[in-house]
Amino acid sequence: MDVAADPKGVRRHIGMVSGGETSGYGLLTIEENLWMFSQFYGMDTRAAKARIKELLVVVGLSDRSRTRIYHLSTGMRQKMNFVRGFLTDPEILFLDEPTLGLDVQTARTLRGFVSNWLAERRDRTILLTTHAMHEADELCGRVAIIDKGRILACDAPAVLKRGLQSEAIFRLRIADLADAHAAVAGRADVSRFAQTAHDEHIEVDLILSSDAALTDVLSSLQAAGGRLLSLEKREPTLEDVFLHVVGHGFEDAQREGGGT
Amino acid sequence: MRANGSRSEALRSLRVAAWLGWQIESNWADPFVFAIYSLVKPLAGALILVFMYAVIAKGGLQSPLFPGVFVGNALFIYVPAVLAGISWTIIDDREHYGMLKYVYTAPVNVLTYLVGRGVAKTMVATIAVVMMLLLGTLALGVPIRFGGIDWPLVLGSAMLAFFGILLGGVTLVTARHNYGVGEAVAGGLYLLCGVVFPLDTLPSWLSSIGRAIPITYWVEAMRRALLGERTALFSGLSNGALVAILAGSTVVLAVLAVLVFRLAERRARAKGLLDMQMMY
Amino acid sequence: MRSRSAWTIFWRTVLGRAYPRIIGAQREKSWVFFEIFLPLLQVTAYVYIYRAIEAPPEFIGFVVLGGAMSAYWLNVLWSMASQLYWEKETGNLELYIVAPTSRMAILLGMALGGMFATTLRAIAVITIGMLLFHVSMTVRNVPVLLGVFLTTLVALYGLGMLLSSLFLLFGREAWHLSNLLQEPVSLVSGFYFPVRALGQVVAAAASILPITLGLDAMRQLLFPAMLGDLRFLPAEVELGILAGLAVLFLILARRALAYFETLARREGRLSIRGQ
C-alpha cells in the first residue's frame, strides 16, 4: 500500500498514541470519549462498549469509566489514550514516547499491556519511538538507533548488545573530581566515555578495548585527584550500544535531538 | 520589607502581563488586526444604532435622544473591552495556552497580572472610542466638546477594572461557552445601564436594578464630560455628587471583587479547575 | 475492520462527533445563563431602543426573531469556523487525521450537534421573547417557513464548514476573523432591522451570508403585514437562492478541506500548537 497515494486506505490499518496527549473532550466521560473515537473507525457501538470495558479493566481504569476527563491525572489520561489506541485493534500502532512523564507504576502497567497485546497477536506491529532505552529493550523485536536523522544501527536488541560483548564495560563512581574528561577521554584503550554528575560524586561509564586497560585508566583518574568509590563491571545494555554507535552520551544526544 | 516585596511583585506582574497582553492582543504590525478591533467592530455596532434611528425614529438622526445614545454606545466599548479583557485571559491561559497553572505556581500577583492583560485591550478600545467619537462629530453632527472635557468625571473608569476582576473570579469556576463571561455580562449591562435608551424606558423594577449598578453612573458621568448635558433621569444629580457616587462604588466594588476572586480561586484549587479543558 | 464500508464509518463519525455537542454542552449548567439569559438581555436592549423611539410593534418581533437566529450565527462562528483550530490546539486534530474517517463527517457531526444544541437555545429565546414582549406572529405558510428555516441552517452550517477549513491555516488570525465577522454581520444581515433599510446594493451583497435571506424570508412569512414595504426579495425567491447557497457552500467546504489538509500536511502545520 502506498502511504502517499492512498492515505485514507492506510488509516484503516493504523493507530497512534503519543505521550502527553490531551485529546478528547473534557466534559465527556472516559467511556464516552472512547466510544466517540471508536465511531471514527466505524465500530459497532455494542462491540465498542464491550471492548472499552475490557481494556479499561486491563489498564486499571474501570472504576473511573464514568469520570469526566478534565478530572483525570496525567497518568489516568495516558491510560485512556492507550485504550483509545488499542481499541480498534490496529495492525500497525505508532507509540510516540508513550510513557512520557508517567509514574513508574503506570509506565510498568502500560508496558506490560503492550507486551501482552503483542504476544497474543503475532501479526501486529508496533513502531515505538522513545528515549527510554530500557523500554525499547523490553518491548522491541528490532531497534534502530537514530542520530541526527540517520539510522546508525538496526537489529534485535540482543544482537546489538552481543556486538559489545568482546569489550569491557565498566561503571565507576568517583569522588573529589568534577570532570573525568581530561583524564580519560582520548586514550587509545577507551573506546567510549560518558559521565553524569551527582551531588557528591560523578558516575563514569566506560567501554574499554579490554579488561587489562582498566588499571591504567584508574591510575589516570587517581592522578587527576579522583577517589574511587565503587567499580562495577556490567553486561552491555542498549544504552551502551547507543553510546558505542553514536559516539557520545545519551543525554548529550537527547539535547541534540537524537533518539531511537 | 514584606510589604515592599509584595508591592514590587504586584508591579512586576502588572508590567509583564501588560507586555504579554500587548504581544497577544494587539499585533500592531498587522493593520488587518488593528482595523478589526479599532474600526470595523465598533463601527458596525454604532451603525446598527444609526440605522435603527435613521429608519424608525421620528426626525431620524435629529432626534433629541440621538447624541446621548451615540456617545453612550461609543463609550460603552470600554465595558466589554475591560471586562472581557480580564476574564477572557483566564479562559485563554487555562484552555488555550495551558498557562494558568504556571501563572499560579510562579511568584506572580494574579490580580495585577489579570489587570495587566486587560491593559492592552483597553488601549485598543481607547482608539476605537476616539474613532467613534470623531465619526459622531464629523459625520453625524453629534455635538461633542473635545476642548471642554470635564476630567474629574472620567476618573470613575478605574471601577471597570474591578468589575473585570469580579468576572475573572466567576470565570475561574465556569466552563467555556460561545460567549466569554465578560462579553456576556457587558451585554446585560448594555441593557440595564441606560446606554442606548433613557433608563426610564425600562419597566420600573428593571430601571431600579440599573440605578443600583455603578456603571450607570459612569455612563452618565462620561456623557456629561463629553456632551455637557444631563439626562432627564439624573438631572437632580450634581457633577460632584456623581463623582462621589463613583468613588464610593469603586471602593465597594474593589473589596467585593477581591473577595469573590479569592473565594473562586480557593474553589478552583480545591476542585482542580486551574488546568481544566472544558471544550465540547 | 476493513470490511466496514466508508459509508458506515461516515455516519458513525457524524454521530460520534455530534455526541459531545449534544450531551456535553448540556452538562455544565452555566450554559443556561450564558446562552439563553444573556442573548435575551441583548434582544431586550434592542427592544427598548425601539420602544424609546416608538417603533411599530412588528419591529419588536423582528428583533426577537433576529436574536433567536443570531444564536445560530454565533454558533457557526465560534463553534464551527474556529473549531478545527481549537481541535488542533488540543491535539484532537491529529487523531482525526489518523482515523480512517472523512473530515467532512467530523465537520458534519459538529454541525448537527451544534444545530441541535443551538435550536434549544433559539427556541428558548424566541418563546421567552414572545411572551415578554407580547409579540404576535401569523404563520401563514408553514411548509415554506419550514423550508426557509431548514435551508438557511444547511447553508449557514455549510458556510461554517467552509470557514472551518479556511481557518485551519490561519492559526490565531482565525480568532480575529471570527471577531471581525460578529458585529458587521449583525449589521449587514439585518439582525435588528429589515435588511432593505441598508439599500438594495448592500442587501444584495449581504445575501452571500445565508442568515440575511433566511431572516428576511422568515420575517415576511411571520409578519405578513410588513410584507410590501420592507421585504428585500419575495420569500420564494429567497428560498431558491438559499438552496443554491447551501449546495455551493457544501461543495466548497469539501474542496477547501481537501486542499487545505494537503497543504497543511505538506507544510507540517497540523500538529503545531500555540500559533
Side-chain angles (χ1 to χ4, degrees):
Chain A
M1 181 173 283
D2 185 336
V3 178
D6 185 14
K8 200 164 174 183
V10 170
R11 290 177 191 141
R12 288 174 176 255
H13 305 274
I14 62 172
M16 179 176 82
V17 179
S18 311
E21 238 182 74
T22 51
S23 55
Y25 297 98
L27 287 174
L28 297 189
T29 65
I30 293 184
E31 203 175 34
E32 288 169 331
N33 268 297
L34 290 170
W35 170 80
M36 181 189 77
F37 280 109
S38 78
Q39 298 309 289
F40 300 160
Y41 291 77
M43 281 180 88
D44 170 65
T45 289
R46 198 180 302 163
K49 286 199 168 162
R51 181 118 176 96
I52 290 167
K53 207 169 169 186
E54 181 191 322
L55 289 173
L56 286 177
V57 172
V58 175
V59 298
L61 265 187
S62 51
D63 57 333
R64 293 293 195 132
S65 63
R66 295 188 177 206
T67 304
R68 292 183 203 174
I69 66 166
Y70 70 77
H71 289 303
L72 299 184
S73 67
T74 313
M76 287 194 253
R77 198 143 186 163
Q78 191 60 357
K79 285 179 178 174
M80 182 191 87
N81 290 334
F82 256 76
V83 173
R84 197 204 71 245
F86 288 89
L87 187 57
T88 53
D89 207 11
E91 288 156 69
I92 302 171
L93 183 66
F94 293 87
L95 298 181
D96 180 10
E97 303 258 19
T99 56
L100 192 75
L102 296 185
D103 64 87
V104 178
Q105 186 62 42
T106 309
R108 187 176 285 179
T109 307
L110 295 180
R111 280 199 300 273
F113 172 67
V114 173
S115 301
N116 287 339
W117 188 78
L118 281 172
E120 286 164 14
R121 298 166 178 79
R122 306 305 300 180
D123 56 340
R124 299 295 197 250
T125 305
I126 285 188
L127 203 93
L128 168 74
T129 50
T130 182
H131 283 102
M133 305 301 277
H134 62 95
E135 195 164 274
D137 204 354
E138 186 181 332
L139 295 177
C140 298
R142 280 167 71 78
V143 171
I145 293 178
I146 303 172
D147 186 45
K148 297 187 181 118
R150 283 185 309 126
I151 296 180
L152 301 180
C154 181
D155 216 323
V159 176
L160 290 172
K161 286 186 281 186
R162 211 176 301 137
L164 283 187
Q165 254 159 5
S166 62
E167 313 210 26
I169 302 171
F170 293 95
R171 174 167 291 169
L172 283 57
R173 291 197 303 136
I174 300 164
D176 302 336
L177 186 65
D179 189 353
H181 194 265
V184 179
R187 296 176 59 104
D189 44 9
V190 176
S191 58
R192 291 294 181 256
F193 158 86
Q195 72 174 6
T196 327
H198 294 268
D199 282 349
E200 304 277 314
H201 67 278
I202 54 172
E203 200 166 81
V204 177
D205 285 308
L206 293 171
I207 301 178
L208 306 178
S209 51
S210 70
D211 286 352
L214 183 64
T215 324
D216 288 347
V217 170
L218 289 177
S219 305
S220 310
L221 285 167
Q222 223 157 11
R227 185 161 55 85
L228 187 66
L229 297 177
S230 71
L231 181 145
E232 179 193 349
K233 184 166 194 296
R234 294 191 296 109
E235 286 302 305
T237 63
L238 267 188
E239 211 159 314
D240 298 318
V241 176
F242 184 91
L243 187 63
H244 190 252
V245 299
V246 174
H248 52 86
F250 187 68
E251 286 177 5
D252 302 331
Q254 271 188 304
R255 274 195 289 276
E256 290 165 20
T260 54
Chain B
M1 178 74 193
R2 229 183 114 79
N4 273 343
S6 60
R7 193 160 61 227
S8 73
E9 184 178 293
L11 282 174
R12 179 167 45 80
S13 308
L14 182 75
R15 202 179 60 232
V16 171
W19 172 83
L20 187 63
W22 186 262
Q23 299 297 320
I24 294 174
E25 303 295 347
S26 49
N27 186 354
W28 298 106
D30 189 345
F32 167 69
V33 174
F34 172 80
I36 293 175
Y37 293 102
S38 307
L39 293 172
V40 180
K41 275 173 79 78
L43 184 65
L47 286 180
I48 290 178
L49 269 185
V50 170
F51 275 99
M52 287 170 89
Y53 267 83
V55 177
I56 314 293
K58 289 191 186 82
L61 301 186
Q62 305 311 313
S63 156
L65 285 177
F66 185 70
V69 164
F70 185 86
V71 166
N73 186 64
L75 291 168
F76 200 77
I77 291 171
Y78 274 124
V79 176
V82 177
L83 265 49
I86 292 178
S87 57
W88 185 254
T89 297
I90 304 257
I91 301 262
D92 217 16
D93 274 12
R94 181 177 72 199
E95 312 211 2
H96 182 203
Y97 295 112
M99 278 294 294
L100 193 63
K101 57 185 166 188
Y102 300 113
V103 170
Y104 265 95
T105 47
V108 161
N109 180 319
V110 177
L111 292 178
T112 48
Y113 173 83
L114 290 177
V115 172
R117 288 285 296 271
V119 165
K121 280 215 173 190
T122 309
M123 287 180 178
V124 179
T126 301
I127 297 171
V129 170
V130 172
M131 295 278 190
M132 286 313 106
L133 293 179
L134 284 175
L135 172 85
T137 322
L138 301 176
L140 303 168
V142 179
I144 297 167
R145 315 178 303 174
F146 280 109
I149 294 176
D150 199 348
W151 290 104
L153 290 170
V154 179
L155 292 177
S157 309
M159 174 195 59
L160 292 181
F162 292 110
F163 239 108
I165 289 173
L166 188 74
L167 295 181
V170 176
T171 314
L172 268 181
V173 289
T174 46
R176 177 176 92 94
H177 292 281
N178 274 350
Y179 294 82
V181 63
E183 285 141 333
V185 171
L189 294 172
Y190 192 68
L191 167 69
L192 294 170
C193 297
V195 182
V196 281
F197 51 81
L199 201 53
D200 50 7
T201 313
L202 288 173
S204 62
W205 64 277
L206 271 183
S207 71
S208 309
I209 296 176
R211 253 173 283 197
I213 300 173
I215 290 179
T216 306
Y217 299 90
W218 175 78
V219 173
E220 172 71 10
M222 295 296 278
R223 246 188 218 135
R224 284 190 195 181
L226 291 170
L227 292 172
E229 56 188 59
R230 299 173 181 195
T231 47
L233 198 64
F234 296 105
S235 55
L237 216 55
S238 71
N239 285 4
L242 204 51
V243 171
I245 290 175
L246 283 173
S249 55
T250 304
V251 173
V252 173
L253 205 58
V255 174
L256 190 69
V258 174
L259 212 66
V260 167
F261 194 86
R262 294 299 179 206
L263 274 176
E265 228 172 20
R266 198 182 303 167
R267 192 175 151 82
R269 276 211 188 95
K271 295 186 79 181
L273 302 178
L274 289 179
D275 59 348
M276 69 178 171
Q277 293 272 343
M278 304 259 271
M279 205 171 62
Y280 46 85
Chain C
M1 203 159 94
R2 258 149 296 168
S3 61
R4 277 172 210 139
S5 71
W7 171 241
T8 309
I9 296 181
F10 188 92
W11 72 260
R12 281 188 183 279
T13 299
V14 172
L15 289 182
R17 186 58 190 88
Y19 183 85
R21 289 272 160 108
I22 295 168
I23 301 300
Q26 322 300 332
R27 233 166 229 173
E28 280 294 319
K29 296 298 169 223
S30 45
W31 74 267
V32 176
F33 175 79
F34 284 108
E35 309 219 3
I36 294 180
F37 182 65
L38 287 165
L40 262 175
L41 282 184
Q42 179 105 26
V43 165
T44 310
Y46 284 106
V47 166
Y48 281 104
I49 294 176
Y50 276 137
R51 290 215 171 146
I53 55 179
E54 293 160 15
E58 282 84 355
F59 279 77
I60 311 290
F62 288 0
V63 168
V64 172
L65 185 64
M69 292 302 284
S70 71
Y72 289 104
W73 175 244
L74 287 175
N75 186 248
V76 162
L77 266 190
W78 295 110
S79 300
M80 286 297 298
S82 46
Q83 185 69 22
L84 283 186
Y85 167 66
W86 277 93
E87 302 276 11
K88 183 175 79 169
E89 296 292 305
T90 51
N92 285 328
L93 189 64
E94 282 169 54
L95 299 175
Y96 293 162
I97 300 289
V98 170
T101 188
S102 128
R103 251 63 63 205
M104 275 301 273
I106 287 180
L107 284 177
L108 201 59
M110 275 181 206
L112 287 176
M115 240 183 253
F116 176 84
T118 309
T119 299
L120 294 184
R121 291 146 175 69
I123 289 174
V125 169
I126 212 161
T127 312
I128 301 173
M130 282 175 70
L131 291 175
L132 272 183
F133 305 115
H134 312 292
V135 176
S136 65
M137 297 182 185
T138 325
V139 187
R140 260 207 203 142
N141 193 339
V142 179
V144 178
L145 179 67
L146 216 59
V148 167
F149 175 68
L150 293 176
T151 317
T152 304
L153 287 197
V154 175
L156 197 57
Y157 281 84
L159 176 65
M161 288 159 79
L162 172 62
L163 291 177
S164 195
S165 29
L166 289 175
F167 283 17
L168 189 56
L169 275 199
F170 292 152
R172 210 181 156 74
E173 298 285 307
W175 187 256
H176 301 311
L177 277 175
S178 282
N179 249 318
L180 170 68
L181 290 172
Q182 200 168 312
E183 283 85 356
V185 168
S186 306
L187 169 69
V188 298
S189 292
F191 277 11
Y192 303 109
F193 52 80
V195 69
R196 187 173 161 165
L198 294 165
Q200 297 286 353
V201 176
V202 178
S207 299
I208 189 73
L209 299 161
I211 197 97
T212 309
L213 294 178
L215 260 177
D216 197 63
M218 286 169 74
R219 281 178 182 148
Q220 291 178 45
L221 295 162
L222 291 168
F223 307 97
M226 302 303 289
L227 196 73
D229 295 343
L230 295 164
R231 77 173 183 193
F232 171 49
L233 296 169
E236 288 76 9
V237 176
E238 290 178 332
L239 177 59
I241 300 175
L242 280 170
L245 286 176
V247 174
L248 177 74
F249 286 139
L250 286 172
I251 292 172
L252 285 179
R254 209 190 139 135
R255 289 212 176 161
L257 194 58
Y259 173 75
F260 286 113
E261 198 185 304
T262 313
L263 199 67
R265 199 189 304 143
R266 198 167 58 217
E267 296 179 4
R269 289 206 214 175
L270 288 176
S271 53
I272 299 175
R273 298 184 197 169
Q275 258 184 345

